[in-house]
Structure formats: structure tokens, C-alpha cells
Amino acid sequence: DVAEDIPGDKDDLDQDLLDALPVPGEPKLEGERRRAWNKIPLRVRTAIRRLHRQLSHVPNKVLIQLMRLSRMDPVYIEAAKSLRCEACENHKRTPQTAKTAMPKKFVFNQEVGLDCLEVKDINSKRYTLLNIVDQGTTFLRVVPVRDGGGSPTSRECLDAFQQHWCAWAGVPRTIVLDRGLHNRGVFSQWVARQGITVRSAGVESPELIGRTERHGGLWKDIFKMIVEDQSVSGLTEGVSTAANVDRTKNELSRTGGLAPSQWVLGRLPRVPGSQYDEDESFDMGALANTAGDGS
């Protein structure tokens, strides 16, 4: 049998040659790392790279800690601080940007965020919904736009937005959107005719619509639990469940000390059989019916 070279050793030799070449205009820290790495003997560099691969490309901090626990030679430990793995660099996660923004005014319908989300019923049938979140009060409406899942058309999103938001709340001054195809076509034309200012998020910057996505995620978590608990199936039951989740989200969350429903309506909406309703708190029939249907 002919012994084969250890996988990766040939690539390590090529990388050593590249590290030895001067690179004009390289960052100062990278230049210092390359010079420190080239001062290390070749056998030590080879051993460190083999150890890094054998440990499934662990981060350098973890590798150094493991080497210290194993009481390895301090020369190897110091060499590991200058290790750079090309495979790790190519597949590392993009660093997150600072998710900060100016505080929103507690003014309803000043700025509205729109996004699409997808849910499933108890039978794993998919539904696409339009998530509408007021950026100031965090008042939320989530309405179905497509039965069967998938990306909706701009006409479907426009009809849902007009019927379930603009019909009662009016046209907002600003809309916050991502760059999905459902925000183009007739939807973008209608927005332009209404004189609405559009603030679009970058393709790689979803945090620019973070408030819309965050509250949509909270809504989905509540919806999933109700679907599993009550075995919600079909579009009709899904629409009813979505309305109940809207009510729960708008009444139980707090923004600036008040619920979103209080910011918009001036009071909490009437809920038959609710213990918080002074007029019906002693109506045992309403309380029993509420407890019986699970709402």
C-alpha cells in the first residue's frame, strides 16, 4: 500500500507560500499576524493546523483553551494565537450591525411597517399572512393573503392593506418595507399616488424593519401554541384564530406603559365574559361560555 498525504497538508504549504508574500495595502493587524505566524517553525505551524482540523475547526479561543488544559508546550499555544484558517474565514457568520434607532413617536398611523409571514395549521397546510405593525404604538393586524403559502402578489397585499387597515385607520404617512416582490407592481404604484413616503430596508439589513419582524415573530409564537392546543384546521378556523391572536397581542403587550389598543382606541376593547370588564365580571354565564370555548 502506498501511503497518502494527510488531506490539507498540501493546501497548508500553498498557504504558507502566500503568507510569506508581501501584500501591499494590507491592514496593520493582519500584517502583524502574518509576520508573527511566519516566525514560527514550519513543523509547529503544520501541527497547529492539523490539530485545528482534527477538532472540527473550533475557534482559536477554544483551541487555545484546550491546548492549555492539555499542558502543551507554550510555544504551540503562542503559535495558535496567530492561526488563520481559510475555510473558517470563508464560512464565518456576517457580524451583526448595531440594532439601534431613534425612539418612535406614540402617534398612531404615522409610520407603518409591512411584512409577510407564513404559518401552518394542525395539518401542516401553509398560509401566507400580511403583518401590519404601527411603528409608534406597536398596534398590529395580521390578515391572510394567500391560501397554500408562498409569496403573494402585490395586488393581494394591496387589497388586504386597504381593506384591513386603510379602510378604518386611514392612509399612513410613511411605510417601512423590505425589498420583496410583493411590495412592487400595483402596490408601489398605489403608494406613489397616495404620496406615502417609503423607507426600504437593504437586502442584507433586515434589522431596518426589526420592529415589524419582532412583533410578527411574537404573533407567530402565540399562533403556533393555539394551533397545537386547539387543533386549528382550515382557512376559516385560521382566520378566526388570527383575529384572536391580534386581540391578545394588542391588549396584553405594553408600549410606554399602555397597551397598543389603549393608544389607538383610548381604552381596552370590550371582551364579553372578561374579568376585567366591570359590567360583565359577575355574569357567570358569559364567564362559563368563555371558559368552555377556550377563547
Side-chain angles (χ1 to χ4, degrees):
D1 295 335
V2 179
E4 298 180 356
D5 294 335
I6 299 176
D9 280 1
K10 185 178 183 300
D11 295 336
D12 289 346
L13 294 175
D14 295 339
Q15 188 64 41
D16 283 331
L17 292 176
L18 293 175
D19 288 341
L21 296 175
V23 179
E26 67 179 357
K28 181 179 179 180
L29 293 178
E30 176 63 16
E32 294 176 354
R33 186 203 66 81
R34 284 159 57 95
R35 286 191 291 272
W37 180 252
N38 290 326
K39 292 179 181 179
I40 301 170
L42 178 60
R43 62 180 184 82
V44 177
R45 285 181 287 176
T46 302
I48 293 298
R49 281 175 169 156
R50 287 179 181 176
L51 183 62
H52 176 69
R53 283 193 293 268
Q54 291 171 1
L55 293 175
S56 301
H57 293 268
V58 295
N60 281 13
K61 292 182 178 179
V62 179
L63 177 63
I64 293 171
Q65 187 66 22
L66 293 174
M67 294 170 67
R68 286 174 176 169
L69 294 175
S70 302
R71 301 183 182 276
M72 294 186 66
D73 192 325
V75 176
Y76 289 83
I77 298 176
E78 192 65 27
K81 296 179 181 179
S82 302
L83 172 67
R84 180 180 178 274
C85 177
E86 186 175 359
C88 295
E89 291 289 331
N90 294 335
H91 296 281
K92 69 178 181 180
R93 293 184 178 182
T94 304
Q96 294 186 355
T97 57
K99 297 177 175 60
T100 58
M102 293 294 292
K104 307 293 183 182
K105 294 182 179 180
F106 294 136
V107 178
F108 176 65
N109 212 29
Q110 180 80 15
E111 183 175 338
V112 174
L114 283 84
D115 190 25
C116 286
L117 52 87
E118 191 172 283
V119 296
K120 297 179 181 180
D121 64 6
I122 196 65
N123 298 318
S124 297
K125 185 176 180 181
R126 301 185 302 165
Y127 302 93
T128 302
L129 304 98
L130 181 65
N131 177 29
I132 311 170
V133 180
D134 179 68
Q135 302 296 289
T137 64
T138 69
F139 187 86
L140 172 146
R141 287 298 313 275
V142 179
V143 293
V145 291
R146 169 160 290 196
D147 185 5
S151 179
T153 63
S154 60
R155 168 57 66 182
E156 291 172 333
C157 291
L158 176 59
D159 292 344
F161 183 59
Q162 288 178 325
Q163 296 173 13
H164 296 275
W165 188 270
C166 297
W168 65 274
V171 178
R173 293 183 179 272
T174 305
I175 291 182
V176 184
L177 305 168
D178 58 14
R179 296 185 181 273
L181 296 177
H182 55 276
N183 297 325
R184 304 179 186 179
V186 294
F187 188 93
S188 61
Q189 295 175 4
W190 178 83
V191 168
R193 290 196 301 267
Q194 299 298 320
I196 301 174
T197 303
V198 178
R199 186 161 61 87
S200 299
V203 177
E204 297 182 357
S205 301
E207 65 273 7
L208 295 180
I209 57 172
R211 173 161 287 189
T212 306
E213 291 191 341
R214 183 167 63 254
H215 287 272
L218 294 173
W219 188 96
K220 285 183 67 174
D221 292 339
I222 300 173
F223 186 88
K224 290 177 182 178
M225 289 185 287
I226 295 179
V227 166
E228 183 175 349
D229 182 60
Q230 301 182 9
S231 299
V232 177
S233 176
L235 180 60
T236 302
E237 294 184 6
V239 171
S240 178
T241 303
N244 289 333
V245 177
D246 284 357
R247 185 187 67 189
T248 301
K249 176 68 175 60
N250 291 328
E251 293 178 9
L252 298 184
S253 63
R254 292 293 182 269
T255 300
L258 298 175
S261 295
Q262 291 176 299
W263 281 110
V264 177
L265 304 176
R267 60 179 178 82
L268 287 174
R270 173 182 175 270
V271 179
S274 173
Q275 297 184 19
Y276 297 100
D277 193 335
E278 295 180 357
D279 296 332
E280 299 186 8
S281 59
F282 299 103
D283 189 342
M284 300 304 296
L287 290 173
N289 291 332
T290 302
D293 62 12
S295 60

